[in-house]
Amino acid sequence: MKNNSSSNKQRLAVEVEFREKTPLEKSNSSAKQRKAVKAVKEFGEQKLFAMATVGNGGSGRLTIGLDLGDRSSCWCALGADGEVMARGEVISERQPLELFFSRIPASLVALEVGSHSPWISRLLEKLGHEVVVANARRVKLISESSRKNDDVDAELLARLVRADRRLLSPVKHRGAEAQADLMGIRVRAQLVELRTQTVNAARGLVKPFGQRLASCDADTLTRANAGHLDVSIRGHAERLLGVVEELTKQIAACDSDLERIAKDRYEKETAQLRQVPGVGPITALTFV
């Protein structure tokens, strides 16, 4: 009996240990991790803040490598002599980054191109830092490193930009406005892709019943095109065609916005491209 009781207790303990966490537990766990981010592998931070307060004292400009992560980013600061002065982590959000980089001297900062690099590079430049965005795909020392981890990458970025920034094959990001315009083009492309997938799905799903949807362009396909189908499948097809209708409306709205943007902001550039037969304002805007 004792053995059975002990076995039951162990089994319950295992179940408790591996059960899925509640939303509250997940939230508390996430909060603890976020608070602990800056305490991990960090040293020398206060020295950097002190340098900003009293000035560099002739010690030369700092060089910082920033290895960007989706949740947190590792940084490594080199002094004028090339020695590591400080390293640590910072949460990859606007407020923590702005707080940290506003408290250190104006520095040369190297980071890799990625999803977060456009807005982070603009933020750091606004705070007075010089930013070099590395094209990691063209830097084998980074992309093919056998010691691939955040700390090593941050220090490697700092050392490469300190030696010669051309080693990083720097890229120049668009401004915030141009980035927003590019997003409009990509959103339209995504909507067109979704509509194509939905149309193909609708056409394919009715074929096993020996029926077909009318041959027509996707932007003219509506619920009415399912009117001739058998009653048993008509409702299902109409749901998909309703999605196609809504996507067509959203694509038309995107077209109007992009045509206005091309005229208001890029009229000179798009006018040259539109001289090519078959190139309209949206296609021209894509290549600006």
Side-chain angles (χ1 to χ4, degrees), residues 233-255:
I233 63 172
R234 186 186 306 160
H236 302 311
E238 285 178 341
R239 289 190 186 93
L240 279 177
L241 296 182
V243 173
V244 173
E245 278 190 86
E246 182 59 32
L247 289 171
T248 297
K249 292 179 183 178
Q250 295 301 323
I251 292 169
C254 286
D255 289 345

Side-chain angles (χ1 to χ4, degrees), residues 44-59:
E45 185 185 66
Q46 295 304 319
K47 185 176 182 180
L48 297 184
F49 296 160
M51 289 175 65
T53 302
V54 301
N56 282 7
S59 59

Side-chain angles (χ1 to χ4, degrees), residues 91-99 119-120 122-123 126:
I91 296 173
S92 300
E93 295 177 5
R94 183 174 298 275
Q95 186 175 359
L97 282 165
E98 186 171 7
L99 177 62
W119 72 268
I120 290 179
R122 290 193 291 266
L123 174 64
K126 183 179 178 182

Side-chain angles (χ1 to χ4, degrees), residues 19-286:
R19 69 177 173 80
E20 185 178 354
K21 293 182 179 180
T22 66
L24 180 59
E25 289 173 332
K26 289 180 180 179
S27 176
N28 291 338
S29 176
S30 176
K32 289 178 182 178
Q33 290 175 357
R34 290 164 70 88
K35 289 179 180 179
V37 164
K38 295 195 68 178
V40 178
K41 304 175 185 176
E42 182 177 288
F43 72 90
E45 185 185 66
Q46 295 304 319
K47 185 176 182 180
L48 297 184
F49 296 160
M51 289 175 65
T53 302
V54 301
N56 282 7
S59 59
R61 184 166 67 160
L62 295 174
T63 304
I64 298 176
L66 182 64
D67 187 64
L68 300 180
D70 189 53
R71 298 293 184 183
S72 64
S73 301
C74 286
W75 56 268
C76 177
L78 305 180
D81 57 358
E83 294 298 319
V84 176
M85 292 184 60
R87 68 168 79 241
E89 290 184 73
V90 59
I91 296 173
S92 300
E93 295 177 5
R94 183 174 298 275
Q95 186 175 359
L97 282 165
E98 186 171 7
L99 177 62
F100 175 73
F101 280 96
S102 65
R103 297 178 64 191
I104 65 176
S107 308
L108 174 62
V109 182
L111 49 90
E112 288 184 59
V113 67
S115 299
H116 292 288
S117 61
W119 72 268
I120 290 179
S121 62
R122 290 193 291 266
L123 174 64
L124 299 186
E125 288 173 348
K126 183 179 178 182
L127 294 173
H129 300 282
E130 182 181 1
V131 181
V132 176
V133 182
N135 185 353
R137 292 183 179 180
R138 298 186 61 183
V139 184
K140 292 185 178 181
L141 196 58
I142 296 176
S143 60
E144 298 181 6
S145 173
S146 59
R147 299 178 60 204
K148 193 74 176 169
N149 66 63
D150 295 341
D151 286 338
V152 171
D153 286 352
E155 183 174 343
L156 184 57
L157 282 167
R159 295 198 179 281
L160 286 173
V161 75
R162 181 176 180 274
D164 186 348
R165 66 187 63 193
R166 290 175 296 183
L167 294 172
L168 297 175
S169 300
V171 300
K172 184 67 176 177
H173 282 305
R174 297 174 175 84
E177 184 178 65
Q179 191 78 33
D181 296 339
L182 179 62
M183 180 179 175
I185 294 172
R186 290 176 174 171
V187 166
R188 182 190 183 277
Q190 185 65 45
L191 291 173
V192 171
E193 183 178 348
L194 288 172
R195 184 176 67 179
T196 300
Q197 292 174 352
T198 308
V199 170
N200 290 341
R203 294 188 185 280
L205 288 170
V206 302
K207 286 182 179 179
F209 297 90
Q211 301 182 57
R212 292 178 180 272
L213 291 173
S215 296
C216 60
D217 293 335
D219 56 358
T220 62
L221 200 60
T222 66
R223 289 182 179 88
N225 290 96
H228 67 284
L229 300 177
D230 289 345
V231 176
S232 60
I233 63 172
R234 186 186 306 160
H236 302 311
E238 285 178 341
R239 289 190 186 93
L240 279 177
L241 296 182
V243 173
V244 173
E245 278 190 86
E246 182 59 32
L247 289 171
T248 297
K249 292 179 183 178
Q250 295 301 323
I251 292 169
C254 286
D255 289 345
S256 299
D257 287 343
L258 293 174
E259 288 175 6
R260 176 182 53 78
I261 290 171
K263 182 179 179 180
D264 294 346
R265 302 177 193 168
Y266 307 97
E267 184 173 11
K268 181 179 178 181
E269 296 86 347
T270 56
Q272 294 175 346
L273 291 170
R274 291 178 66 181
Q275 294 177 8
V276 179
V279 175
I282 296 174
T283 302
L285 186 61
T286 304

